[in-house]
């Protein structure tokens, strides 16, 4: 874990202010000086390991949240394939054919997704380019949840280079690939 003192300090200050505590208040809770809290918040020093749990408890957070500067730590849950994700989207499309597009189960599922995703999912299923965008969205949501996709597998399962490029940008930004 690469710890950035400036990010840690910014996170401590943000959490402290969110709880409407002064540096002095936080120092008193931890039996340390407000100057020590000030040094943390300026990124000049890091909290001692012996105080991290008490600090996290005082700020109603976790040690990881403090040390990562508020950035979410990806928890690896397993590997998924782009082919299977594509099949999942194809199954959604097939549901409309099997149940009928006017069937309430299908309509409500599509309408709910369209509303939450702020897009027309039904229209996206009918256009190959937009369908790949849905597949990419499913992949990105799975990556946010902690799943890994092999970039070579993603590339092999996308017809449109644009969506593979977006995948790579996202994966690099979030440390999934170099």
């Amino acid at each position: 874990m690469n710890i950035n003192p400036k990010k840690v300090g910014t996170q401590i200050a943000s959490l402290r202010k969110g709880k409407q505590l002064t540096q002095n208040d936080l120092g008193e809770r931890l039996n340390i000086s407000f100057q020590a809290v000030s040094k943390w918040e300026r990124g000049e020093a890091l909290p001692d390991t012996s105080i991290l749990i008490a600090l996290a408890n005082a700020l109603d957070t976790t040690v990881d949240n403090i040390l990562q500067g508020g950035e979410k730590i990806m928890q690896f849950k397993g590997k998924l394939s782009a082919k299977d994700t594509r099949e999942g989207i194809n199954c959604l499309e097939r549901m409309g054919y099997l149940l009928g597009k006017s069937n309430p189960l299908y309509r409500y599922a599509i309408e709910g997704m369209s509303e939450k995703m702020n897009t027309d999912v039904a229209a996206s299923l009918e256009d190959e380019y937009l369908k790949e965008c849905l597949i990419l969205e499913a992949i990105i949501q799975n990556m946010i949840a902690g799943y890994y996709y092999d970039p070579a597998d993603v590339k092999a399962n996308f017809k449109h280079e644009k969506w593979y490029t977006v995948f790579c940008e996202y994966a690099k930004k979030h440390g999934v690939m170099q």
Side-chain angles (χ1 to χ4, degrees):
M1 177 185 325
N2 193 9
I3 299 172
N4 180 326
K6 292 279 187 198
K7 284 185 177 181
V8 171
T10 299
Q11 180 67 353
I12 292 171
S14 175
L15 292 167
R16 175 184 59 77
K17 290 172 185 174
K19 294 196 63 61
Q20 300 180 338
L21 296 172
T22 65
Q23 290 178 341
N24 195 51
D25 294 335
L26 183 58
E28 285 179 5
R29 288 184 184 194
L30 300 172
N31 295 318
I32 60 169
S33 69
F34 75 90
Q35 292 94 335
V37 174
S38 178
K39 279 187 173 186
W40 297 343
E41 292 182 2
R42 291 191 312 268
E44 294 175 6
L46 289 169
D48 189 71
T49 56
S50 64
I51 205 165
L52 281 173
I53 293 173
L55 174 61
N57 288 338
L59 298 174
D60 288 327
T61 191
T62 64
V63 171
D64 284 347
N65 182 283
I66 293 170
L67 295 179
Q68 288 296 314
E71 293 179 11
K72 183 179 178 193
I73 299 172
M74 294 278 295
Q75 297 293 324
F76 179 68
K77 293 183 181 173
K79 184 177 177 182
L80 297 175
S81 79
K83 181 180 178 183
D84 288 345
T85 304
R86 176 181 289 278
E87 182 58 26
I89 297 297
N90 287 339
C91 286
L92 181 61
E93 182 179 24
R94 284 188 58 224
M95 192 169 108
Y97 296 118
L98 296 173
L99 294 176
K101 291 185 179 182
S102 62
N103 183 291
L105 289 174
Y106 177 75
R107 263 193 8 257
Y108 296 157
I110 294 297
E111 288 169 8
M113 285 185 284
S114 294
E115 182 180 325
K116 292 290 185 185
M117 294 176 66
N118 198 27
T119 192
D120 186 343
V121 173
S124 297
L125 291 172
E126 294 175 9
D127 177 284
E128 188 59 38
Y129 185 76
L130 295 176
K131 185 195 252 186
E132 282 201 344
C133 182
L134 280 178
I135 295 165
L136 176 63
E137 179 64 26
I139 287 172
I140 289 173
Q141 291 304 317
N142 283 336
M143 290 170 63
I144 290 169
Y147 290 95
Y148 172 78
Y149 283 82
D150 180 347
D153 172 54
V154 173
K155 184 172 182 118
N157 282 283
F158 275 80
K159 296 174 187 162
H160 299 92
E161 186 70 23
K162 163 78 173 167
W163 302 127
Y164 175 69
T165 301
V166 172
F167 164 81
C168 290
E169 289 169 3
Y170 178 86
K172 285 177 187 172
K173 180 179 176 183
H174 292 87
V176 176
M177 67 186 278
Q178 299 191 37

